[in-house]
Amino acid sequence: MNTHRDSADGLLTETFGDALAPIEPPASLRAQWLERLRGSERFTLFAAEVARVFGLTLDDALAALRAAQTEEPWVAGRQPGSRWMTTPALRERGAVISRLVAGSRIAKHSHARRELNFVLDGLLVENDTTSHGAGAVIDMPAGSSHELRVSDDEPCLVVFAER
Amino acid sequence: MWAFPWCVSGLRLNVVQVDVSMQPSSANGLETDASDLDLIRRAQVGDVEAFATIYDRHAAVVLALGSRMLMSTADAQDLLQDVFLEAWQCVREYDPARAGVRTWLMVRMRSRALDRLARRGRERLLQQAVAALRSGSSAVPRAHDEHSLAMREAFEQLDEQERDSLALMYFWGLTAPEISAQLSVPEGTVRSRIARGLRMLEQVLGGSTQGEGEP
């Protein structure tokens, strides 16, 4: 799909775009779309990257990110107040999606294996020095160590795996 | 459920390095002063409300394009949700150097609409396209700033036959042989009209489509 101005498609789109009389979509259509965007589709913008980082297919990554927006699969996690969920595809890759409480801490720990974190929402502060927001990947090799803290303002949603 | 593989272009991501302090805003979605690029940058870190503002700004022209192409506003409305959900899934790959946000969205609608048109059967499409061309207004670009005024002037320098050929190619994906057959004009003439039309427009908008525009 070539949007570039150096392509005929891009050039004609710019031209004809200004020639078309806009048609306002019905308010109901917008409402439906926004409901999906705020709900099931909320984290699908990260699907391609989650798929790449955790070795999933795109479809499996999309399914996992949509499932994370439902109440059903969540169970209590090891961290106080935390919850986690997984899907068959995530489980196969040793991954879960974890919801961490605002202000919670994961004490300094060493990694016997490689640890991968992909932040979907919120802010994860590493070693009190480095902040990782939505879209950030924290890739810790085996033998490394760190401590993590969730910002006080909001909970953090993260895809996590140990390899 | 929808999965849109078209944005997984070798996973070449074009996310501008975002200040981590620029986290999703929880404020009301309407951002009258923010530029499209500012909104996209916020959307790229998950700000749904910023992307909702993108929808509010551009859904009307995207729907208009789909309606023109499909010759049905109802059909275009069906596609509109898909187009914007696809765009959301691909937002982290958006590259401002390639196109403005409106163009980026419109090209997505055009692609989906061409897919939909392909299901109608070629003969039926050819007839409908020419009928739509004849019945639709020979719209020229509206002039709302200096740039679009220049584009309008360039567009008006095209004769009707050049505009028709470009419109048939752009809106309905007709090839030069098909346009030639439908308009009863030699194929070489069609190609010349399209090439001239594109040259006129690119002089205004810049860039080069040399070698392209051959449907």
Side-chain angles (χ1 to χ4, degrees):
Chain A
M1 180 179 307
N2 198 344
T3 58
H4 204 278
R5 183 170 290 171
D6 281 355
S7 76
D9 281 356
L11 185 66
L12 291 173
T13 297
E14 286 203 44
T15 304
F16 285 116
D18 270 353
L20 292 166
I23 302 174
E24 285 298 330
S28 58
L29 201 68
R30 179 188 188 275
Q32 281 171 26
W33 170 80
L34 196 53
E35 184 180 346
R36 289 185 62 194
L37 193 69
R38 287 170 175 159
S40 63
E41 302 298 312
R42 171 84 173 77
F43 299 115
T44 55
L45 77 162
F46 299 123
E49 291 161 87
V50 168
R52 175 179 57 84
V53 170
F54 295 95
L56 302 167
T57 66
L58 179 61
D59 281 350
D60 284 341
L62 285 164
L65 294 173
R66 288 172 179 141
Q69 287 295 84
T70 63
E71 284 304 314
E72 187 183 307
W74 293 90
V75 296
R78 283 181 294 180
Q79 297 293 321
S82 72
R83 299 179 73 77
W84 67 272
M85 58 81 69
T86 192
T87 64
L90 283 174
R91 188 181 299 116
E92 201 173 305
R93 309 300 296 176
V96 301
I97 299 180
S98 186
R99 190 188 304 276
L100 303 169
V101 173
S104 61
R105 285 182 173 273
I106 301 168
K108 186 161 185 176
H109 56 280
S110 301
H111 304 111
R113 296 184 290 169
R114 182 186 182 194
E115 180 185 280
L116 288 165
N117 290 274
F118 188 101
V119 181
L120 297 175
D121 198 18
L123 202 65
L124 210 53
V125 182
E126 187 180 19
N127 298 328
D128 276 327
T129 57
T130 308
S131 295
H132 303 281
V137 178
I138 309 171
D139 188 348
M140 304 299 294
S144 65
S145 63
H146 64 175
E147 61 178 356
L148 295 169
R149 174 175 59 84
V150 179
S151 82
D152 294 336
D153 302 327
E154 56 188 334
C156 184
L157 195 66
V158 60
V159 187
F160 165 85
E162 282 182 333
R163 297 281 172 82
Chain B
M1 279 293 187
W2 288 262
F4 301 108
W6 305 281
C7 60
V8 188
S9 52
L11 291 171
R12 203 185 93 246
L13 298 172
N14 291 301
V15 178
V16 175
Q17 285 299 313
V18 176
D19 183 336
V20 71
S21 65
M22 216 167 83
Q23 289 302 299
S25 164
S26 59
N28 190 293
L30 190 58
E31 299 275 355
T32 50
D33 295 331
S35 69
D36 277 355
L37 188 55
D38 288 342
L39 292 169
I40 289 291
R41 283 173 173 162
R42 284 162 50 187
Q44 286 179 333
V45 289
D47 189 338
V48 166
E49 305 310 320
F51 200 69
T53 304
I54 291 289
Y55 178 102
D56 291 337
R57 288 184 183 179
H58 300 296
V61 73
V62 174
L63 180 57
L65 174 61
S67 177
R68 182 86 170 113
M69 292 179 68
L70 298 174
M71 296 161 268
S72 162
T73 298
D75 287 352
Q77 284 177 359
D78 287 345
L79 282 189
L80 188 67
Q81 249 199 35
D82 283 357
V83 167
F84 274 88
L85 287 175
E86 173 194 325
W88 174 249
Q89 284 184 19
C90 298
V91 72
R92 284 170 69 78
E93 292 198 10
Y94 171 74
D95 181 358
R98 294 188 61 81
V101 172
R102 186 188 76 169
T103 298
W104 177 66
L105 293 167
M106 288 181 69
V107 168
R108 293 185 176 281
M109 170 56 89
R110 180 169 181 265
S111 181
R112 294 303 132 252
L114 286 174
D115 289 345
R116 185 72 68 93
L117 288 172
R119 295 181 215 157
R120 292 188 185 181
R122 205 66 188 165
E123 270 310 308
R124 186 173 158 221
L125 171 62
L126 295 176
Q127 291 163 11
Q128 288 180 337
V130 174
L133 183 71
R134 296 286 173 249
S135 66
S137 61
S138 295
V140 295
R142 295 181 299 283
H144 48 79
D145 58 26
E146 192 176 306
H147 173 80
S148 59
L149 176 61
M151 196 157 59
R152 180 189 175 107
E153 288 172 351
F155 199 76
E156 286 176 330
Q157 287 180 47
L158 305 178
D159 62 40
E160 188 176 338
Q161 294 157 339
E162 286 162 346
R163 287 185 224 165
D164 284 353
S165 296
L166 287 173
L168 286 171
M169 181 181 81
Y170 178 72
F171 287 118
W172 299 290
L174 267 63
T175 63
E178 288 170 337
I179 296 170
S180 165
Q182 293 300 314
L183 301 184
S184 301
V185 168
E187 186 177 322
T189 302
V190 170
R191 293 187 189 278
S192 296
R193 287 174 182 172
I194 288 171
R196 180 171 179 267
L198 288 174
R199 273 198 308 274
M200 296 282 293
L201 294 172
E202 73 190 18
Q203 280 170 11
V204 175
L205 294 179
S208 171
T209 59
Q210 192 170 9
E212 283 202 67
E214 294 282 333

